[in-house]
C-alpha cells in the first residue's frame, strides 16, 4: 500500500506537469509574408533587410513575454531571412541568446550556436514596384536547440546567421510593417532600437518559439496532492498494525 501511495504521488505530479505534451508553437512574432507570399517594402521606407551577419558582428533582437503563472519548455527556434540571389536554402548556423530583461544588460539565461535546417521558402522580399522579383527568397531557418525552460518574465531573443552566399544574411521586418521595438547591434556594438532610414519608423522582426507550455501549479495544488498521499500512507500504517 505504501508503494501504491508513492506511485499515486508520482502520478499526480506528472499530471500537474506538462512534460508529456507535444511540442507546438508557443509564440509567433510574424507575419513573415502577406497572403500573396510577399513582404513588400513601401515608400517612404528604404530598408529591404537588416544586416544580421555573424561574420560582420551584426545581430538583431526582439522581445517576448511569458505570462505570470506560466512556464515554457523550449525545444526549437525559427528564424527568417534571405540572401540576395539565392535559389535554394543557404543558411548554416544561428548564434542566439535569450536575455532576461534588457538585451544589453539583462541576464543571458540560454544561448547557443546551432545548425540550421530548411523550414521552406516562405515568400519574397520585394518593393511596391518590383512585385514579381524573386531575388530575395525568404526562408524559414529552423534551430533545434537543447531543451530549456523559462519562467514568467520579459525576455529578448537576439540572433545572427551565417550563410553560404556573399550577400547577407539579411533580416526582413514583419510583412505588416507595424511599428515596434526591434533592435540591431552593428559590428559588435550595443543593441539600439532600429529605425528605417527613409521613414524614420521603428519595426518588428518575425521569429517563432516552439515547445511546451505549462501552468505553474498553485501552492494549494501541491498541498492537496501531499495531503492525499499522507492519508494513504496513514491507511497503510493502520492496516499493517492491525495484522
Amino acid at each position: 500500500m505504501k508503494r501504491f501511495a508513492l506511485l499515486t504521488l508520482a502520478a499526480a505530479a506528472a499530471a500537474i506537469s506538462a512534460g508529456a505534451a507535444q511540442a507546438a508553437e508557443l509564440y509567433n512574432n510574424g507575419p513573415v509574408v502577406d497572403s500573396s507570399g510577399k513582404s513588400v517594402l513601401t515608400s517612404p521606407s528604404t530598408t529591404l533587410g537588416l544586416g544580421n551577419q555573424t561574420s560582420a558582428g551584426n545581430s538583431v533582437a526582439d522581445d517576448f513575454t511569458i505570462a505570470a503563472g506560466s512556464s515554457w519548455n523550449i525545444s526549437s527556434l525559427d528564424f527568417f531571412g534571405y540572401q540576395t540571389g539565392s535559389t535554394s536554402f543557404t543558411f548554416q548556423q544561428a548564434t542566439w541568446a535569450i536575455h532576461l530583461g534588457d538585451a544589453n544588460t539583462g541576464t543571458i539565461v540560454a544561448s547557443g550556436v546551432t545548425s540550421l535546417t530548411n523550414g521552406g521558402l516562405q515568400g519574397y522580399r520585394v518593393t511596391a514596384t518590383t512585385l514579381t522579383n524573386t531575388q530575395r527568397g525568404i526562408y524559414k531557418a529552423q534551430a533545434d536547440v537543447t531543451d530549456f525552460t523559462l519562467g514568467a518574465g520579459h525576455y529578448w531573443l537576439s540572433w545572427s546567421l551565417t550563410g553560404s552566399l556573399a550577400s547577407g544574411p539579411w533580416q526582413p521586418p514583419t510583412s505588416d510593417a507595424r511599428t515596434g521595438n526591434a533592435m540591431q547591434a552593428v559590428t559588435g556594438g550595443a543593441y539600439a532600437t532600429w529605425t528605417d532610414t527613409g521613414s524614420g519608423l521603428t519595426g518588428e522582426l518575425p521569429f517563432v518559439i516552439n515547445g511546451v507550455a505549462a501552468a505553474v501549479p498553485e501552492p494549494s495544488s501541491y498541498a492537496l496532492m501531499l495531503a492525499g498521499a499522507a492519508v494513504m500512507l496513514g491507511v497503510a500504517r493502520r492496516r499493517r498494525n492491525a495484522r
Side-chain angles (χ1 to χ4, degrees):
M1 185 61 144
K2 182 176 180 180
R3 181 172 180 271
F4 176 75
L6 292 174
L7 289 174
T8 302
L9 177 62
I16 290 175
S17 169
Q22 294 295 315
E25 184 178 285
L26 295 172
Y27 183 81
N28 189 325
N29 204 50
V32 181
V33 294
D34 62 21
S35 58
S36 67
K38 305 290 174 58
S39 173
V40 184
L41 175 71
T42 56
S43 180
S45 296
T46 57
T47 304
L48 281 163
L50 290 71
N52 68 331
Q53 308 92 339
T54 303
S55 60
N58 299 331
S59 60
V60 295
D62 215 329
D63 66 334
F64 63 95
T65 298
I66 301 177
S70 297
S71 67
W72 292 355
N73 184 59
I74 296 171
S75 56
S76 66
L77 303 168
D78 295 337
F79 304 108
F80 302 89
Y82 67 87
Q83 291 198 271
T84 306
S86 70
T87 57
S88 61
F89 184 80
T90 57
F91 296 103
Q92 298 165 325
Q93 288 185 324
T95 300
W96 59 274
I98 292 181
H99 315 248
L100 175 60
D102 185 78
N104 287 307
T105 60
T107 302
I108 295 178
V109 294
S111 63
V113 178
T114 306
S115 296
L116 297 170
T117 57
N118 185 1
L121 177 66
Q122 306 298 295
Y124 297 93
R125 181 66 167 158
V126 297
T127 69
T129 58
T130 60
L131 293 176
T132 59
N133 187 288
T134 58
Q135 286 185 305
R136 301 176 182 86
I138 302 172
Y139 285 84
K140 177 193 289 187
Q142 298 175 310
D144 186 10
V145 303
T146 301
D147 288 14
F148 61 94
T149 300
L150 298 179
H154 178 231
Y155 298 90
W156 283 84
L157 171 63
S158 63
W159 70 95
S160 63
L161 305 179
T162 63
S164 60
L165 299 186
S167 175
W170 302 102
Q171 173 66 55
T174 55
S175 63
D176 57 5
R178 68 183 185 273
T179 57
N181 59 353
M183 298 199 290
Q184 182 184 32
V186 179
T187 60
Y191 285 102
T193 301
W194 170 75
T195 56
D196 179 84
T197 305
S199 66
L201 297 176
T202 58
E204 285 287 291
L205 307 177
F207 66 90
V208 174
I209 299 174
N210 304 295
V212 176
V216 177
E218 296 291 334
S220 58
S221 299
Y222 284 119
L224 182 61
M225 180 178 66
L226 293 173
V231 169
M232 297 185 74
L233 288 172
V235 171
R237 289 194 188 95
R238 286 195 296 272
R239 288 187 176 181
R240 185 177 64 246
N241 293 335
R243 290 176 183 173

